[in-house]
Amino acid sequence: MYTSKIFVTVDVVLYKNNQILLIKRRNEPFRDCWALPGGFVDENEDLEDAARRELFEETTVKVNSLEQIGAFGKPFRDPRHHSISIAFFGRVPEETIAIAADDPKEAEWFSIDDLPELAFDHKEIIEKAILKFPTLKHLNS
């Protein structure tokens, strides 16, 4: 019987007041690089539930709902193994505070116009979010 070696992950583009939440990775790959909050989907877990769980575990931020941006699965996007990430978009109020928890070293809000270099294909994910939600740059929470 064939067992797939492709992993399913989720990433979250979380937006407030023209800023996007990023985490600084504690572990390889891309240790000390900035990335979107996210991680692996557990067996029998709904994708949006996984995205909300990972967001909370890594940043202590809770959201009620997220909108799917799309799927990202180019081979070698993760140097460890082939993974497919389902990316989500959410908005939070301006007063939302993120605190690094679990895996990340830091959690910080960055201006959408001045993002640092990003791990994996997270720049592409953010660009797709901006295309899919054209008012993104002009939204207020």
Side-chain angles (χ1 to χ4, degrees):
M1 180 171 120
Y2 172 77
T3 302
S4 176
K5 293 182 179 85
I6 299 174
F7 294 85
V8 179
T9 63
V10 289
D11 290 302
V12 179
V13 176
L14 195 64
Y15 180 88
K16 78 167 187 180
N17 197 32
N18 207 41
Q19 297 179 317
I20 291 178
L21 180 61
L22 299 175
I23 55 109
K24 184 177 269 191
R25 292 182 52 82
R26 181 182 306 277
N27 302 314
E28 293 292 351
F30 300 106
R31 180 187 322 219
D32 294 325
C33 290
W34 291 100
L36 293 168
F40 293 95
V41 177
D42 292 339
E43 191 171 344
N44 300 315
E45 185 176 33
D46 177 80
L47 293 171
E48 186 177 337
D49 291 344
R52 285 196 309 270
R53 175 184 55 78
E54 284 288 345
L55 177 65
F56 179 73
E57 286 177 0
E58 293 188 350
T59 69
T60 71
V61 174
K62 287 186 179 183
V63 292
N64 292 326
S65 67
L66 296 167
E67 297 178 68
Q68 197 173 119
I69 297 166
F72 298 81
K74 288 182 183 168
F76 312 110
R77 64 178 296 277
D78 184 328
R80 297 170 292 189
H81 42 66
H82 190 171
S83 67
I84 297 170
S85 183
I86 311 303
F88 289 87
F89 171 74
R91 297 180 190 97
V92 291
E94 188 174 340
E95 63 273 6
T96 302
I97 296 171
I99 300 167
D102 195 26
D103 293 337
K105 283 184 173 182
E106 299 175 42
E108 189 173 323
W109 295 95
F110 286 86
S111 167
I112 197 167
D113 298 315
D114 191 24
L115 297 173
E117 187 173 329
L118 298 169
F120 304 102
D121 55 358
H122 291 182
K123 181 178 184 215
E124 180 184 340
I125 292 171
I126 293 169
E127 288 170 351
K128 176 96 180 251
I130 291 168
L131 288 175
K132 186 163 184 169
F133 303 97
T135 57
L136 183 64
K137 286 191 154 191
H138 307 290
L139 291 175
N140 289 319
S141 319

PDB file of all heavy atoms in Angstrom, residues 106-126:
ATOM      1  N   GLU A 106       9.884  35.328  18.537  1.00  0.00           N
ATOM      2  CA  GLU A 106       9.239  36.636  18.619  1.00  0.00           C
ATOM      3  C   GLU A 106       7.976  36.627  17.769  1.00  0.00           C
ATOM      4  O   GLU A 106       7.861  35.845  16.830  1.00  0.00           O
ATOM      5  CB  GLU A 106      10.160  37.744  18.072  1.00  0.00           C
ATOM      6  CG  GLU A 106      11.465  37.928  18.796  1.00  0.00           C
ATOM      7  CD  GLU A 106      12.352  38.948  18.098  1.00  0.00           C
ATOM      8  OE1 GLU A 106      11.827  39.998  17.647  1.00  0.00           O
ATOM      9  OE2 GLU A 106      13.563  38.690  17.988  1.00  0.00           O
ATOM     10  N   ALA A 107       7.069  37.536  18.092  1.00  0.00           N
ATOM     11  CA  ALA A 107       5.897  37.809  17.257  1.00  0.00           C
ATOM     12  C   ALA A 107       5.817  39.319  17.141  1.00  0.00           C
ATOM     13  O   ALA A 107       5.903  40.027  18.150  1.00  0.00           O
ATOM     14  CB  ALA A 107       4.632  37.248  17.899  1.00  0.00           C
ATOM     15  N   GLU A 108       5.701  39.809  15.913  1.00  0.00           N
ATOM     16  CA  GLU A 108       5.742  41.253  15.714  1.00  0.00           C
ATOM     17  C   GLU A 108       4.873  41.645  14.523  1.00  0.00           C
ATOM     18  O   GLU A 108       4.767  40.905  13.547  1.00  0.00           O
ATOM     19  CB  GLU A 108       7.190  41.685  15.467  1.00  0.00           C
ATOM     20  CG  GLU A 108       7.405  43.169  15.466  1.00  0.00           C
ATOM     21  CD  GLU A 108       8.889  43.518  15.381  1.00  0.00           C
ATOM     22  OE1 GLU A 108       9.724  42.818  15.984  1.00  0.00           O
ATOM     23  OE2 GLU A 108       9.199  44.491  14.671  1.00  0.00           O
ATOM     24  N   TRP A 109       4.267  42.815  14.628  1.00  0.00           N
ATOM     25  CA  TRP A 109       3.478  43.382  13.529  1.00  0.00           C
ATOM     26  C   TRP A 109       4.397  44.209  12.640  1.00  0.00           C
ATOM     27  O   TRP A 109       5.170  45.021  13.131  1.00  0.00           O
ATOM     28  CB  TRP A 109       2.365  44.263  14.083  1.00  0.00           C
ATOM     29  CG  TRP A 109       1.351  43.497  14.875  1.00  0.00           C
ATOM     30  CD1 TRP A 109       1.324  43.322  16.221  1.00  0.00           C
ATOM     31  CD2 TRP A 109       0.226  42.791  14.357  1.00  0.00           C
ATOM     32  NE1 TRP A 109       0.250  42.550  16.581  1.00  0.00           N
ATOM     33  CE2 TRP A 109      -0.448  42.208  15.451  1.00  0.00           C
ATOM     34  CE3 TRP A 109      -0.284  42.591  13.074  1.00  0.00           C
ATOM     35  CZ2 TRP A 109      -1.601  41.451  15.314  1.00  0.00           C
ATOM     36  CZ3 TRP A 109      -1.432  41.829  12.933  1.00  0.00           C
ATOM     37  CH2 TRP A 109      -2.076  41.269  14.031  1.00  0.00           C
ATOM     38  N   PHE A 110       4.310  43.980  11.322  1.00  0.00           N
ATOM     39  CA  PHE A 110       5.119  44.708  10.339  1.00  0.00           C
ATOM     40  C   PHE A 110       4.204  45.427   9.370  1.00  0.00           C
ATOM     41  O   PHE A 110       3.178  44.881   8.954  1.00  0.00           O
ATOM     42  CB  PHE A 110       5.997  43.743   9.535  1.00  0.00           C
ATOM     43  CG  PHE A 110       7.169  43.206  10.294  1.00  0.00           C
ATOM     44  CD1 PHE A 110       7.036  42.074  11.089  1.00  0.00           C
ATOM     45  CD2 PHE A 110       8.405  43.821  10.212  1.00  0.00           C
ATOM     46  CE1 PHE A 110       8.116  41.560  11.794  1.00  0.00           C
ATOM     47  CE2 PHE A 110       9.497  43.322  10.910  1.00  0.00           C
ATOM     48  CZ  PHE A 110       9.348  42.188  11.707  1.00  0.00           C
ATOM     49  N   SER A 111       4.613  46.624   8.972  1.00  0.00           N
ATOM     50  CA  SER A 111       3.873  47.351   7.946  1.00  0.00           C
ATOM     51  C   SER A 111       3.843  46.518   6.676  1.00  0.00           C
ATOM     52  O   SER A 111       4.867  45.958   6.257  1.00  0.00           O
ATOM     53  CB  SER A 111       4.537  48.700   7.661  1.00  0.00           C
ATOM     54  OG  SER A 111       3.995  49.258   6.480  1.00  0.00           O
ATOM     55  N   ILE A 112       2.680  46.472   6.063  1.00  0.00           N
ATOM     56  CA  ILE A 112       2.534  45.717   4.819  1.00  0.00           C
ATOM     57  C   ILE A 112       3.442  46.287   3.721  1.00  0.00           C
ATOM     58  O   ILE A 112       3.814  45.605   2.780  1.00  0.00           O
ATOM     59  CB  ILE A 112       1.057  45.701   4.375  1.00  0.00           C
ATOM     60  CG1 ILE A 112       0.819  44.604   3.356  1.00  0.00           C
ATOM     61  CG2 ILE A 112       0.603  47.042   3.878  1.00  0.00           C
ATOM     62  CD1 ILE A 112      -0.634  44.315   3.102  1.00  0.00           C
ATOM     63  N   ASP A 113       3.845  47.547   3.871  1.00  0.00           N
ATOM     64  CA  ASP A 113       4.716  48.208   2.893  1.00  0.00           C
ATOM     65  C   ASP A 113       6.199  48.040   3.212  1.00  0.00           C
ATOM     66  O   ASP A 113       7.048  48.506   2.459  1.00  0.00           O
ATOM     67  CB  ASP A 113       4.378  49.699   2.827  1.00  0.00           C
ATOM     68  CG  ASP A 113       2.956  49.929   2.370  1.00  0.00           C
ATOM     69  OD1 ASP A 113       2.530  49.280   1.400  1.00  0.00           O
ATOM     70  OD2 ASP A 113       2.254  50.741   3.004  1.00  0.00           O
ATOM     71  N   ASP A 114       6.536  47.416   4.337  1.00  0.00           N
ATOM     72  CA  ASP A 114       7.935  47.294   4.748  1.00  0.00           C
ATOM     73  C   ASP A 114       8.161  45.960   5.464  1.00  0.00           C
ATOM     74  O   ASP A 114       8.520  45.928   6.637  1.00  0.00           O
ATOM     75  CB  ASP A 114       8.315  48.470   5.659  1.00  0.00           C
ATOM     76  CG  ASP A 114       9.808  48.542   5.907  1.00  0.00           C
ATOM     77  OD1 ASP A 114      10.586  48.021   5.074  1.00  0.00           O
ATOM     78  OD2 ASP A 114      10.204  49.097   6.952  1.00  0.00           O
ATOM     79  N   LEU A 115       7.937  44.875   4.740  1.00  0.00           N
ATOM     80  CA  LEU A 115       8.099  43.543   5.320  1.00  0.00           C
ATOM     81  C   LEU A 115       9.555  43.097   5.244  1.00  0.00           C
ATOM     82  O   LEU A 115      10.255  43.407   4.279  1.00  0.00           O
ATOM     83  CB  LEU A 115       7.217  42.538   4.581  1.00  0.00           C
ATOM     84  CG  LEU A 115       5.716  42.777   4.665  1.00  0.00           C
ATOM     85  CD1 LEU A 115       4.974  41.814   3.748  1.00  0.00           C
ATOM     86  CD2 LEU A 115       5.227  42.648   6.097  1.00  0.00           C
ATOM     87  N   PRO A 116      10.026  42.340   6.244  1.00  0.00           N
ATOM     88  CA  PRO A 116      11.390  41.804   6.174  1.00  0.00           C
ATOM     89  C   PRO A 116      11.454  40.652   5.168  1.00  0.00           C
ATOM     90  O   PRO A 116      10.425  40.211   4.645  1.00  0.00           O
ATOM     91  CB  PRO A 116      11.619  41.284   7.599  1.00  0.00           C
ATOM     92  CG  PRO A 116      10.258  40.902   8.070  1.00  0.00           C
ATOM     93  CD  PRO A 116       9.318  41.906   7.450  1.00  0.00           C
ATOM     94  N   GLU A 117      12.654  40.150   4.938  1.00  0.00           N
ATOM     95  CA  GLU A 117      12.799  38.944   4.119  1.00  0.00           C
ATOM     96  C   GLU A 117      12.080  37.805   4.839  1.00  0.00           C
ATOM     97  O   GLU A 117      12.173  37.678   6.065  1.00  0.00           O
ATOM     98  CB  GLU A 117      14.278  38.611   3.935  1.00  0.00           C
ATOM     99  CG  GLU A 117      14.509  37.489   2.963  1.00  0.00           C
ATOM    100  CD  GLU A 117      15.982  37.270   2.664  1.00  0.00           C
ATOM    101  OE1 GLU A 117      16.748  38.246   2.692  1.00  0.00           O
ATOM    102  OE2 GLU A 117      16.332  36.101   2.406  1.00  0.00           O
ATOM    103  N   LEU A 118      11.359  36.994   4.078  1.00  0.00           N
ATOM    104  CA  LEU A 118      10.503  35.964   4.671  1.00  0.00           C
ATOM    105  C   LEU A 118      10.969  34.553   4.338  1.00  0.00           C
ATOM    106  O   LEU A 118      11.533  34.307   3.270  1.00  0.00           O
ATOM    107  CB  LEU A 118       9.066  36.145   4.183  1.00  0.00           C
ATOM    108  CG  LEU A 118       8.413  37.471   4.585  1.00  0.00           C
ATOM    109  CD1 LEU A 118       7.110  37.663   3.845  1.00  0.00           C
ATOM    110  CD2 LEU A 118       8.209  37.530   6.081  1.00  0.00           C
ATOM    111  N   ALA A 119      10.699  33.638   5.256  1.00  0.00           N
ATOM    112  CA  ALA A 119      11.019  32.218   5.078  1.00  0.00           C
ATOM    113  C   ALA A 119      10.035  31.569   4.101  1.00  0.00           C
ATOM    114  O   ALA A 119       8.976  32.115   3.797  1.00  0.00           O
ATOM    115  CB  ALA A 119      10.952  31.505   6.432  1.00  0.00           C
ATOM    116  N   PHE A 120      10.416  30.380   3.655  1.00  0.00           N
ATOM    117  CA  PHE A 120       9.576  29.562   2.777  1.00  0.00           C
ATOM    118  C   PHE A 120       9.114  30.390   1.571  1.00  0.00           C
ATOM    119  O   PHE A 120       9.915  31.109   0.997  1.00  0.00           O
ATOM    120  CB  PHE A 120       8.386  28.973   3.555  1.00  0.00           C
ATOM    121  CG  PHE A 120       8.785  28.180   4.764  1.00  0.00           C
ATOM    122  CD1 PHE A 120       8.689  28.723   6.035  1.00  0.00           C
ATOM    123  CD2 PHE A 120       9.273  26.885   4.637  1.00  0.00           C
ATOM    124  CE1 PHE A 120       9.069  27.994   7.159  1.00  0.00           C
ATOM    125  CE2 PHE A 120       9.652  26.146   5.752  1.00  0.00           C
ATOM    126  CZ  PHE A 120       9.554  26.709   7.017  1.00  0.00           C
ATOM    127  N   ASP A 121       7.849  30.278   1.197  1.00  0.00           N
ATOM    128  CA  ASP A 121       7.267  31.055   0.100  1.00  0.00           C
ATOM    129  C   ASP A 121       6.266  32.062   0.657  1.00  0.00           C
ATOM    130  O   ASP A 121       5.289  32.416   0.012  1.00  0.00           O
ATOM    131  CB  ASP A 121       6.600  30.133  -0.926  1.00  0.00           C
ATOM    132  CG  ASP A 121       5.568  29.207  -0.296  1.00  0.00           C
ATOM    133  OD1 ASP A 121       5.389  29.245   0.947  1.00  0.00           O
ATOM    134  OD2 ASP A 121       4.938  28.435  -1.035  1.00  0.00           O
ATOM    135  N   HIS A 122       6.526  32.543   1.861  1.00  0.00           N
ATOM    136  CA  HIS A 122       5.549  33.384   2.544  1.00  0.00           C
ATOM    137  C   HIS A 122       5.364  34.749   1.886  1.00  0.00           C
ATOM    138  O   HIS A 122       4.280  35.328   1.965  1.00  0.00           O
ATOM    139  CB  HIS A 122       5.894  33.502   4.026  1.00  0.00           C
ATOM    140  CG  HIS A 122       5.691  32.204   4.738  1.00  0.00           C
ATOM    141  ND1 HIS A 122       5.895  32.048   6.080  1.00  0.00           N
ATOM    142  CD2 HIS A 122       5.283  30.975   4.283  1.00  0.00           C
ATOM    143  CE1 HIS A 122       5.624  30.801   6.431  1.00  0.00           C
ATOM    144  NE2 HIS A 122       5.271  30.135   5.348  1.00  0.00           N
ATOM    145  N   LYS A 123       6.375  35.243   1.188  1.00  0.00           N
ATOM    146  CA  LYS A 123       6.196  36.482   0.427  1.00  0.00           C
ATOM    147  C   LYS A 123       5.140  36.267  -0.664  1.00  0.00           C
ATOM    148  O   LYS A 123       4.261  37.099  -0.876  1.00  0.00           O
ATOM    149  CB  LYS A 123       7.521  36.934  -0.190  1.00  0.00           C
ATOM    150  CG  LYS A 123       7.406  38.222  -0.979  1.00  0.00           C
ATOM    151  CD  LYS A 123       8.740  38.675  -1.544  1.00  0.00           C
ATOM    152  CE  LYS A 123       8.549  40.015  -2.227  1.00  0.00           C
ATOM    153  NZ  LYS A 123       9.392  40.149  -3.395  1.00  0.00           N
ATOM    154  N   GLU A 124       5.218  35.131  -1.341  1.00  0.00           N
ATOM    155  CA  GLU A 124       4.252  34.792  -2.389  1.00  0.00           C
ATOM    156  C   GLU A 124       2.839  34.672  -1.804  1.00  0.00           C
ATOM    157  O   GLU A 124       1.856  35.114  -2.413  1.00  0.00           O
ATOM    158  CB  GLU A 124       4.665  33.483  -3.064  1.00  0.00           C
ATOM    159  CG  GLU A 124       3.740  33.030  -4.160  1.00  0.00           C
ATOM    160  CD  GLU A 124       4.134  31.668  -4.733  1.00  0.00           C
ATOM    161  OE1 GLU A 124       5.290  31.243  -4.562  1.00  0.00           O
ATOM    162  OE2 GLU A 124       3.259  31.034  -5.346  1.00  0.00           O
ATOM    163  N   ILE A 125       2.727  34.101  -0.619  1.00  0.00           N
ATOM    164  CA  ILE A 125       1.426  33.957   0.026  1.00  0.00           C
ATOM    165  C   ILE A 125       0.833  35.327   0.340  1.00  0.00           C
ATOM    166  O   ILE A 125      -0.349  35.582   0.073  1.00  0.00           O
ATOM    167  CB  ILE A 125       1.534  33.083   1.296  1.00  0.00           C
ATOM    168  CG1 ILE A 125       1.862  31.637   0.903  1.00  0.00           C
ATOM    169  CG2 ILE A 125       0.246  33.153   2.119  1.00  0.00           C
ATOM    170  CD1 ILE A 125       2.202  30.723   2.076  1.00  0.00           C
ATOM    171  N   ILE A 126       1.649  36.226   0.868  1.00  0.00           N
ATOM    172  CA  ILE A 126       1.168  37.581   1.179  1.00  0.00           C
ATOM    173  C   ILE A 126       0.774  38.313  -0.100  1.00  0.00           C
ATOM    174  O   ILE A 126      -0.264  38.988  -0.151  1.00  0.00           O
ATOM    175  CB  ILE A 126       2.220  38.363   1.981  1.00  0.00           C
ATOM    176  CG1 ILE A 126       2.380  37.737   3.377  1.00  0.00           C
ATOM    177  CG2 ILE A 126       1.848  39.845   2.082  1.00  0.00           C
ATOM    178  CD1 ILE A 126       3.567  38.249   4.170  1.00  0.00           C
TER     179      ILE A 126
END
